[in-house]
């Protein structure tokens, strides 16, 4: 998750996972930026980077303080007793809107980091911690665990 208000020189980068989502990280981050940097939520721009899609993100259990709301709002669904699908991007986007970020200022990537395939290279486009932990789901050879890094630059004119 990227949040920024270039006119104030404010930039935030956060890793969204089911743990950080259940801790209401998007809402807490917007509140922090407003309180500490006087950035009003409607001034923020947001970007949701590629993430695992709900169709690919299957969990055996999904528990936490707000999970009932997740089921009610469609961010979690139960395919079977031990097959729960979770929509981190959908939750994050709605949490930002609920916190006051304008929907037209939120950009969302459509890439699924677990299954996006590059046919020319015959490999996945992204490393995926989930795919590494569940090679049986994706029917491929085991792969080495990888880590992602984000390098972000803003031109001086944006500050």
């Amino acid at each position: 998750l990227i949040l920024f208000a270039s006119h104030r020189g404010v930039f935030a980068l956060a890793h969204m996972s089911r743990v950080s989502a259940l801790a209401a990280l998007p809402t807490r981050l917007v509140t922090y930026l407003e309180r500490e940097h006087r950035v009003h939520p409607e001034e923020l721009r947001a970007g949701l980077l590629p993430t695992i899609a709900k169709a690919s993100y299957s969990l055996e259990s999904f528990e936490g303080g707000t999970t009932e709301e997740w089921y009610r709002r469609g961010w979690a669904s139960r395919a079977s007793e031990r097959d729960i699908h979770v929509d981190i991007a959908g939750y994050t986007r709605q949490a930002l809107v609920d916190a006051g970020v304008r929907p037209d200022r939120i950009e969302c990537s459509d890439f699924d980091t677990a299954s996006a395939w590059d046919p020319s290279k015959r490999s996945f486009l992204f490393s995926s911690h989930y795919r590494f932990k569940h090679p049986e789901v994706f029917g491929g050879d085991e792969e080495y665990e990888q880590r992602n890094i984000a390098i972000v630059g803003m031109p001086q004119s944006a500050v």
Side-chain angles (χ1 to χ4, degrees):
L1 169 63
I2 296 173
L3 290 172
F4 68 96
S6 57
H7 67 289
R8 295 212 189 265
V10 172
F11 179 89
L13 179 65
H15 173 73
M16 287 306 303
S17 66
R18 64 186 159 94
V19 173
S20 60
L22 287 172
L25 183 61
T27 304
R28 294 169 67 189
L29 190 52
V30 170
T31 301
Y32 171 82
L33 292 174
E34 186 171 25
R35 183 183 67 241
E36 299 296 325
H37 297 281
R38 296 186 296 267
V39 176
H40 299 290
E42 63 273 6
E43 298 175 303
L44 287 168
R45 291 187 88 49
L48 282 84
L49 303 174
T51 188
I52 189 168
K54 184 179 181 182
S56 297
Y57 200 6
S58 174
L59 303 171
E60 289 186 7
S61 67
F62 182 62
E63 307 298 328
T66 61
T67 54
E68 288 308 313
E69 178 185 11
W70 280 64
Y71 286 106
R72 191 177 75 254
R73 295 183 80 172
W75 304 318
S77 57
R78 190 178 297 274
S80 68
E81 185 61 32
R82 299 182 65 82
D83 186 14
I84 302 163
H85 291 265
V86 178
D87 185 0
I88 299 296
Y91 160 78
T92 302
R93 185 180 195 295
Q94 189 59 52
L96 292 170
V97 170
D98 291 349
V101 179
R102 292 183 8 212
D104 64 320
R105 296 176 65 88
I106 302 172
E107 296 291 328
C108 300
S109 171
D110 292 331
F111 283 109
D112 176 357
T113 56
S115 66
W117 181 259
D118 182 344
S120 68
K121 295 180 181 172
R122 297 185 317 146
S123 66
F124 290 102
L125 289 172
F126 301 95
S127 65
S128 169
H129 179 73
Y130 181 86
R131 196 175 58 238
F132 169 77
K133 294 291 187 187
H134 303 278
E136 72 285 356
V137 174
F138 296 94
D141 296 331
E142 289 190 27
E143 57 186 87
Y144 295 102
E145 185 167 20
Q146 304 167 29
R147 294 290 184 227
N148 296 314
I149 186 169
I151 300 173
V152 180
M154 292 177 66
Q156 187 64 28
S157 61
V159 178

